[in-house]
C-alpha cells in the first residue's frame, strides 16, 4: 500500500481533488490530508473525498512565543504555514510514513519541502499531476522509486526564506539550516541563494551566512560552507567584515585538509583591509590584517602537508599579489645597516655565536669542530632555552607592527635590550634556520657584526622569509641550488641590490661511520629512511616495491623512522590513513617491514640494499645521502616540486641516480640488482661519491671558508 500525504494551506477545488483522490485510490494508494484552512467550514465537501485520513493543522501560533508571533506577522505565507505546523505530531508521523508528499498549493510548498528533509526516501512534489506520476512510478517499480523534486523553481521557495531571515532568533535559524536541510542539494542551494539576495542588511547577511555555513559543515558540505561565506562576502562592502568571512571560509576547508578554492580572494581581502588601515595610520589593525594574509597564504596545509603546492607551479606569480599591497611593500622595504660588518680579527680568535631555536639537528659537527678550533672562540645560544628570547623570536605580529611603524614600537626596544649584548660580543653570528628568529634578528641594526643565516628548505614554504629584512644579513647559506632558486623567486629583497651574498654549503654529516658490510640478502631489500612528513610520500616507494615484486617476490621494503603525526593537520591524517590502508596487506605478507624510529641509523643500513628518495620535495635528502654512503644503490625520484627546472634532483645527484617514474625506478633496481656483483659495484660507486662530496672532512672546509676566509 502506497502512503500519500496531501498538505494544503488554502481551500482546494474540491471537485478536482475528489476526482484525483479516486484515481490515487485506484492505484492502491491511501491518501491523507493535512490542512491549515478551516476543515469544519467545508465538512460536506471533505467528507466526499474518500480520504484514508484527515487532520486539522494549527491555524495560528497564538500559543507560541512572543518573538515568533512578531516574526509571523511579517513572514510570507509559506513560512507561516511551516511555523504553525512543524510541531504537529500527527503531521510529523504521517510525513515519516509517507511514500509521496504533495503540496496542493504554493502556501504548502515550503512545509512539504521541510518535511521531505526528514523522509529522504519519499517523493516531494507540487501539484496533483506530479503526485499521480510519483504514485504510478511506485506501482510500476514495486513500491520504491528514487525521490525526485518537482517543487516549484528554487527562487519561488527562496523568496520566502530571504524575506524571513532578518530577525529570526538564533534557535530558529539553526533549525532552518540544520543538517538534514543542508544535506539536501535543494536546501543547500536555496540557502546559498538566500545569502546573496539583494537588499539584505550587511549585519543580517553576515549572520545568515555563518548559520548557513554552520549547517552545511554539520551536513558534511565543507566546501559548500566556504562557498556560502564567500558568496556573502562578495555582497558586503565593509572590508574588515568581507575579509573576516572569506578567512572563515578558507579556514573551514583548511581544517578538513582541503586546498581552499577562495584562498586568493581571502588573501586579497586581508591585504585590501590592511592597506586601508595602514593608509589611515592604524598600524595595529594593518599589522593584524597583514599577519592573517601571510598566515593564510603560507599555511602548512597548502604547501607542506600536501603532495603539491602553488609554489611548485609558479612561485613568483603566487606572491605577486602579496607584493602589490602597500602595507606589504612598507614591510619589505630594505632598511640596511649603518656600517658594514668588520673583518674577522687577525690578532685574536674569531668570536663566533651559533644560534638557533630548539632545532640544532644540523649543528653538532659544526659546534664540535669550531668549539675546538684554535682560531675561534665559540658560543652557542638556543633561543628556546630562554623564555624571554623565545617570546621575541617568534612574535610575528609584533614584528609586523614594528616594521609598519618604522621601528618605533616597543618590540624593537625589547629586542635591543635582550639581543644586543650577544651582537656586541660576536664578530660573526651564524643563525640556523631562516624562520622567526631571522625576522627578530633583522629588526635591529646589527652594527658591525657579521650576520650569516642558513635557509634549509622548509622555510621557503613559510611566511618567515617575507618578514625578514635580508638587507641586514651579510651572507645567506643554502643547502642546495634549487632551494636558492625557489627562495629568490619568492622574496623580492633577494633579487635587489641590497641582497646578501649567497653560498651553497652541504649539511654537516659524518658519513664514514656508515661504511659497514652488507649481507648478500640485502640486495633484495629496498629502504626508506624517514617518513614523518607527507612530503616524503612513502606511497611512491610502495608503488616501486609492487613493481619489482612482479618480477621477484624476494624484494621487500624496509621503513626506518617514525610515522606521520595525525595531529599535525587533517591533510596529514588523511594521507596516513590511506597509506596505512595500502600498507596493511603488505606488512601481513612480509613484503614491508617497519623498524620504527631509531637514534642509530648506521646500524639499520647494512640490511638495506637500495636506498630510495620518494619525496615530492627535499633540500638535500640526508637519509638518501647516508644510504648512499653505506653502499646502498641510490634511487631518487625526480622531486616533482623541482622537476624540469634549471636546478633539481637531477643536478644535485650523479647521472643515473634520478628516475622520472616508478617504472623507471623499478627498471633501475632490477638491472642494478640482477646479480650480487652488479649490485655491489653500483653500491661501491655510490659510496665513493657520497664520501668525496658530502662527508664532513670535505664540507668542513666550506664552513671554514665561510667563517674564516677574510682573516
Amino acid at each position: 500500500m502506497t502512503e500519500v500525504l496531501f498538505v494544503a494551506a488554502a481551500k482546494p477545488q474540491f471537485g478536482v481533488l475528489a476526482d484525483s483522490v479516486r484515481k490515487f485510490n485506484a492505484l492502491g494508494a491511501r491518501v491523507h490530508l493535512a490542512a491549515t484552512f478551516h476543515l469544519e467550514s467545508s465538512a460536506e465537501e471533505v467528507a466526499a473525498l474518500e480520504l484514508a485520513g484527515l487532520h486539522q493543522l494549527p491555524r495560528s501560533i497564538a500559543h507560541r512565543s512572543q518573538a515568533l508571533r512578531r516574526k509571523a506577522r511579517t513572514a510570507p505565507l509559506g513560512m507561516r504555514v511551516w511555523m504553525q505546523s512543524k510541531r504537529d505530531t500527527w503531521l510529523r508521523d504521517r510525513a515519516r510514513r509517507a511514500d509521496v508528499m504533495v503540496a496542493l498549493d504554493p502556501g504548502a510548498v515550503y512545509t512539504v519541502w521541510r518535511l521531505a528533509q526528514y523522509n529522504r526516501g519519499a517523493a516531494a512534489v507540487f501539484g496533483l499531476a506530479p503526485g499521480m506520476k510519483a504514485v504510478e512510478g511506485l506501482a510500476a517499480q514495486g513500491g520504491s522509486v528514487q525521490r525526485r523534486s518537482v517543487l516549484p523553481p528554487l527562487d519561488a521557495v527562496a523568496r520566502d526564506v530571504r524575506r524571513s531571515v532578518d530577525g529570526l532568533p538564533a534557535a530558529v535559524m539553526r533549525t532552518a539550516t540544520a543538517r538534514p536541510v543542508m544535506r539536501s542539494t535543494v536546501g543547500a542551494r536555496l540557502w546559498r541563494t538566500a545569502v546573496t539576495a539583494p537588499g539584505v542588511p550587511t549585519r543580517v547577511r553576515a549572520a545568515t551566512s555563518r548559520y548557513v555555513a554552520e549547517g552545511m559543515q554539520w551536513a558534511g558540505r565543507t566546501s559548500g560552507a566556504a562557498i556560502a561565506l564567500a558568496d556573502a562576502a562578495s555582497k558586503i562592502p565593509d572590508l574588515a567584515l568581507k575579509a573576516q568571512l572569506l578567512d572563515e571560509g578558507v579556514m573551514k576547508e583548511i581544517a578538513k585538509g582541503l586546498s581552499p578554492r577562495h584562498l586568493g580572494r581571502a588573501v586579497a581581502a586581508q591585504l585590501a583591509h590592511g592597506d586601508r588601515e595602514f593608509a589611515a595610520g592604524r598600524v595595529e589593525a594593518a599589522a593584524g590584517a597583514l599577519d592573517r594574509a601571510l598566515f593564510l597564504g603560507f599555511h602548512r596545509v597548502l604547501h607542506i602537508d600536501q603532495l603539491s603546492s602553488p609554489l611548485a607551479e609558479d612561485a613568483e606569480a603566487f606572491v605577486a599579489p602579496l607584493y602589490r599591497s602597500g602595507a606589504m611593500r612598507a614591510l619589505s622595504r630594505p632598511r640596511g645597516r649603518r656600517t658594514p660588518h668588520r673583518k674577522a680579527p687577525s690578532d685574536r680568535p674569531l668570536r663566533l655565536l651559533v644560534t638557533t631555536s630548539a632545532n640544532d639537528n644540523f649543528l653538532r659537527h659544526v659546534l664540535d669542530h669550531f668549539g675546538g678550533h684554535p682560531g675561534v672562540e665559540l658560543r652557542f645560544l638556543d633561543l628556546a632555552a630562554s623564555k624571554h628570547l623565545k617570546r621575541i623570536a617568534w612574535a610575528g605580529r609584533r614584528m609586523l607592527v614594528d616594521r609598519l611603524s618604522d621601528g618605533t614600537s616597543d618590540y624593537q626596544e625589547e629586542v635591543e635590550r635582550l639581543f644586543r649584548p650577544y651582537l656586541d660580543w660576536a664578530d660573526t653570528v651564524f643563525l640556523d634556520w631562516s624562520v622567526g628568529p631571522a625576522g627578530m634578528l633583522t629588526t635591529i641594526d646589527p652594527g658591525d657584526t657579521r650576520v650569516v643565516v642558513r635557509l634549509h628548505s622548509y622555510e621557503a614554504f613559510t611566511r618567515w622569509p617575507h618578514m625578514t629584512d635580508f638587507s641586514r644579513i651579510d651572507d645567506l647559506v643554502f643547502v642546495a641550488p634549487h632551494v636558492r632558486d625557489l627562495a629568490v623567486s619568492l622574496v623580492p629583497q633577494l633579487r635587489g641590490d641590497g641582497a646578501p651574498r649567497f653560498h651553497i654549503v652541504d649539511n654537516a654529516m659524518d658519513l664514514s661511520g656508515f661504511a659497514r658490510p652488507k649481507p648478500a640478502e640485502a640486495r633484495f631489500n629496498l629502504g626508506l629512511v624517514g617518513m614523518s612528513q607527507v612530503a616524503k610520500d612513502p606511497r611512491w616507494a610502495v608503488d616501486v616495491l609492487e613493481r619489482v615484486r612482479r618480477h621477484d617476490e624476494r624484494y621487500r621494503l624496509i621503513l626506518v623512522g617514525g610515522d606521520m603525526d595525525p595531529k599535525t593537520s587533517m591533510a596529514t591524517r588523511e594521507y596516513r590513513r590511506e597509506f596505512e590502508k595500502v600498507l596493511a596487506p603488505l606488512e601481513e605478507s612480509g613484503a614491508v617491514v617497519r623498524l620504527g624510529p631509531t637514534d642509530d641509523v648506521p646500524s639499520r643500513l647494512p640490511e638495506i640494499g637500495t636506498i630510495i628518495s620518494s619525496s615530492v620535495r627535499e633540500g638535500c635528502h640526508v637519509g638518501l645521502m647516508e644510504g648512499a654512503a653505506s653502499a646502498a644503490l641510490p634511487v631518487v625520484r625526480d622531486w616533482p616540486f623541482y622537476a624540469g627546472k634549471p636546478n633539481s634532483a637531477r643536478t644535485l645527484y650523479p647521472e643515473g641516480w634520478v628516475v622520472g617514474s616508478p617504472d623507471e625506478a623499478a627498471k633501475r633496481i632490477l638491472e642494478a640488482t640482477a646479480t650480487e656483483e652488479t649490485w655491489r659495484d653500483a653500491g661501491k660507486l655510490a659510496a665513493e661519491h657520497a664520501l668525496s662530496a658530502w662527508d664532513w672532512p670535505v664540507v668542513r672546509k666550506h664552513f671554514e671558508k665561510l667563517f674564516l676566509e677574510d682573516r
Side-chain angles (χ1 to χ4, degrees):
M1 186 69 69
T2 302
E3 297 292 327
V4 179
L5 174 63
F6 286 174
V7 180
K11 285 185 180 181
Q13 296 181 22
F14 284 107
V16 174
L17 183 59
D19 186 51
S20 296
V21 171
R22 283 193 292 272
K23 292 178 181 178
F24 276 89
N25 290 340
L27 290 171
R30 286 163 42 89
V31 181
H32 305 265
L33 172 64
T36 57
F37 68 86
H38 193 208
L39 288 174
E40 285 188 11
S41 65
S42 305
E44 187 176 342
E45 293 92 335
V46 170
L49 291 178
E50 301 180 20
L51 296 167
L54 179 68
H55 182 67
Q56 176 70 67
L57 292 171
R59 303 193 63 230
S60 73
I61 55 172
H63 60 290
R64 305 289 294 280
S65 70
Q66 183 178 357
L68 192 59
R69 293 199 305 271
R70 186 166 55 248
K71 183 60 189 177
R73 284 196 292 270
T74 58
L77 175 62
M79 183 65 79
R80 288 203 307 273
V81 171
W82 175 243
M83 289 178 180
Q84 292 166 203
S85 308
K86 65 179 181 178
R87 289 188 174 184
D88 189 272
T89 55
W90 185 95
L91 179 66
R92 293 204 305 267
D93 181 62
R94 296 291 358 150
R96 280 194 295 268
R97 300 183 191 183
D99 299 302
V100 178
M101 289 186 279
V102 182
L104 295 183
D105 54 74
V109 167
Y110 185 68
T111 295
V112 167
W113 175 73
R114 289 302 302 266
L115 292 171
Q117 311 313 309
Y118 298 95
N119 181 356
R120 297 178 62 80
V125 299
F126 173 44
L128 290 167
M132 184 67 70
K133 285 185 179 179
V135 172
E136 289 171 348
L138 276 169
Q141 298 186 29
S144 174
V145 292
Q146 184 178 2
R147 176 181 162 198
R148 295 185 301 114
S149 175
V150 196
L151 295 176
L154 184 63
D155 57 357
V157 183
R159 273 196 304 271
D160 276 359
V161 178
R162 292 177 201 157
R163 290 161 55 192
S164 304
V165 164
D166 188 11
L168 272 180
V172 177
M173 279 298 297
R174 285 197 169 92
T175 299
T177 58
R179 185 181 304 174
V181 179
M182 293 310 182
R183 279 183 177 159
S184 155
T185 301
V186 174
R189 285 178 55 217
L190 184 151
W191 276 110
R192 280 176 50 199
T193 303
V195 300
T196 57
V200 177
T202 295
R203 177 188 61 81
V204 176
R205 192 186 303 280
T208 303
S209 68
R210 284 171 170 144
Y211 283 124
V212 172
E214 180 183 328
M216 285 193 175
Q217 192 149 28
W218 286 346
R221 293 175 175 264
T222 300
S223 292
I227 291 171
L229 290 165
D231 286 350
S234 69
K235 301 292 184 180
I236 290 176
D238 181 89
L239 291 180
L241 184 55
K242 179 194 290 284
Q244 190 174 359
L245 289 178
L246 285 163
D247 191 311
E248 291 171 16
V250 164
M251 288 308 299
K252 285 184 183 299
E253 291 187 291
I254 284 176
K256 292 294 184 180
L258 304 173
S259 294
R261 65 186 66 201
H262 298 300
L263 175 68
R265 286 176 58 189
V267 171
Q270 292 288 1
L271 292 174
H273 174 45
D275 285 350
R276 185 190 66 182
E277 298 301 300
F278 181 62
R282 294 186 287 268
V283 172
E284 291 276 355
L290 195 54
D291 188 45
R292 286 305 297 178
L294 289 165
F295 174 80
L296 293 174
F298 292 94
H299 198 285
R300 65 172 297 134
V301 167
L302 304 176
H303 307 293
I304 296 173
D305 296 340
Q306 304 275 8
L307 295 179
S308 187
S309 159
L311 302 184
E313 298 163 14
D314 190 340
E316 195 166 345
F318 181 80
V319 298
L322 186 65
Y323 284 94
R324 286 197 289 268
S325 157
M328 188 65 199
R329 288 196 300 272
L331 167 72
S332 58
R333 179 176 61 83
R335 286 153 178 82
R337 56 194 305 161
R338 286 188 292 272
T339 60
H341 73 82
R342 62 179 177 270
K343 285 192 173 185
S346 57
D347 58 344
R348 61 171 174 80
L350 174 79
R351 291 174 180 167
L352 175 63
L353 175 68
V354 177
T355 183
T356 188
S357 181
N359 190 343
D360 60 354
N361 294 343
F362 300 102
L363 290 175
R364 183 169 66 86
H365 297 299
V366 174
L367 294 173
D368 287 348
H369 175 67
F370 288 105
H373 196 290
V376 175
E377 182 182 350
L378 179 74
R379 287 186 183 178
F380 174 65
L381 173 64
D382 183 356
L383 297 167
S386 163
K387 67 177 182 180
H388 301 295
L389 289 171
K390 181 180 179 180
R391 185 182 68 248
I392 63 169
W394 298 96
R397 180 75 65 90
R398 295 182 68 194
M399 292 179 200
L400 295 176
V401 171
D402 183 74
R403 300 288 168 82
L404 295 181
S405 64
D406 205 19
T408 59
S409 74
D410 59 356
Y411 175 72
Q412 185 164 145
E413 295 176 4
E414 191 170 2
V415 175
E416 280 280 0
R417 177 172 57 83
L418 293 172
F419 204 78
R420 178 61 67 184
Y422 296 100
L423 285 171
D424 288 344
W425 173 84
D427 298 308
T428 297
V429 172
F430 176 49
L431 172 63
D432 203 19
W433 299 96
S434 185
V435 283
M440 178 271 293
L441 175 57
T442 58
T443 296
I444 59 176
D445 189 314
D448 59 2
T449 300
R450 182 185 176 205
V451 177
V452 182
V453 175
R454 179 162 61 174
L455 190 153
H456 290 261
S457 171
Y458 157 80
E459 306 97 297
F461 298 91
T462 73
R463 61 183 174 146
W464 295 112
H466 305 275
M467 298 170 63
T468 299
D469 188 349
F470 286 98
S471 69
R472 287 177 167 173
I473 293 173
D474 300 291
D475 298 88
L476 187 58
V477 180
F478 299 96
V479 297
H482 59 274
V483 177
R484 175 200 59 203
D485 296 349
L486 176 61
V488 169
S489 69
L490 280 169
V491 184
Q493 264 200 23
L494 296 180
R495 303 192 294 270
D497 294 336
R501 295 182 294 268
F502 296 157
H503 307 267
I504 306 295
V505 180
D506 291 301
N507 275 319
M509 298 175 285
D510 182 5
L511 298 179
S512 59
F514 288 85
R516 302 183 184 185
K518 291 185 184 290
E521 57 269 21
R523 173 162 61 110
F524 298 99
N525 291 341
L526 317 183
L528 183 64
V529 178
M531 53 176 187
S532 60
Q533 300 175 29
V534 172
K536 300 295 183 181
D537 197 15
R539 283 189 301 200
W540 192 89
V542 172
D543 191 358
V544 173
L545 171 71
E546 290 174 335
R547 291 168 195 269
V548 295
R549 280 178 62 83
R550 291 172 196 160
H551 295 268
D552 191 330
E553 290 192 350
R554 286 179 293 177
Y555 286 101
R556 299 187 305 162
L557 175 63
I558 297 175
L559 301 175
V560 180
D563 294 322
M564 297 174 198
D565 184 356
K567 296 179 182 178
T568 301
S569 69
M570 180 64 79
T572 300
R573 189 181 314 159
E574 284 300 307
Y575 184 98
R576 179 175 172 179
R577 185 178 63 81
E578 291 298 320
F579 181 55
E580 295 290 348
K581 191 186 301 182
V582 170
L583 219 56
L586 294 170
E587 276 195 282
E588 187 176 347
S589 68
V592 171
V593 177
R594 279 203 269 204
L595 299 183
T598 180
D599 293 328
D600 187 10
V601 175
S603 69
R604 298 296 193 184
L605 287 174
E607 56 189 304
I608 291 175
T610 296
I611 187 71
I612 294 178
S613 174
S614 58
S615 306
V616 294
R617 62 171 174 83
E618 287 283 354
C620 60
H621 194 167
V622 171
L624 183 281
M625 293 171 168
E626 292 172 342
S630 79
L633 171 74
V635 176
V636 183
R637 182 184 188 179
D638 192 5
W639 303 325
F641 272 52
Y642 302 105
K645 296 181 178 174
N647 289 297
S648 65
R650 292 190 183 276
T651 58
L652 188 64
Y653 297 121
E655 186 177 357
W657 286 24
V658 182
V659 296
S661 68
D663 272 336
E664 286 185 29
K667 181 181 178 183
R668 172 167 166 77
I669 293 167
L670 292 170
E671 289 178 354
T673 63
T675 67
E676 184 176 344
E677 183 181 4
T678 58
W679 165 62
R680 290 197 184 276
D681 286 345
K684 181 182 178 184
L685 289 174
E688 288 173 354
H689 178 82
L691 292 170
S692 65
W694 307 314
D695 198 16
W696 176 236
V698 178
V699 175
R700 180 184 66 208
K701 296 174 184 177
H702 299 305
F703 275 100
E704 289 179 343
K705 182 179 180 181
L706 176 68
F707 295 139
L708 302 172
E709 183 179 37
D710 64 348
R711 284 177 66 91

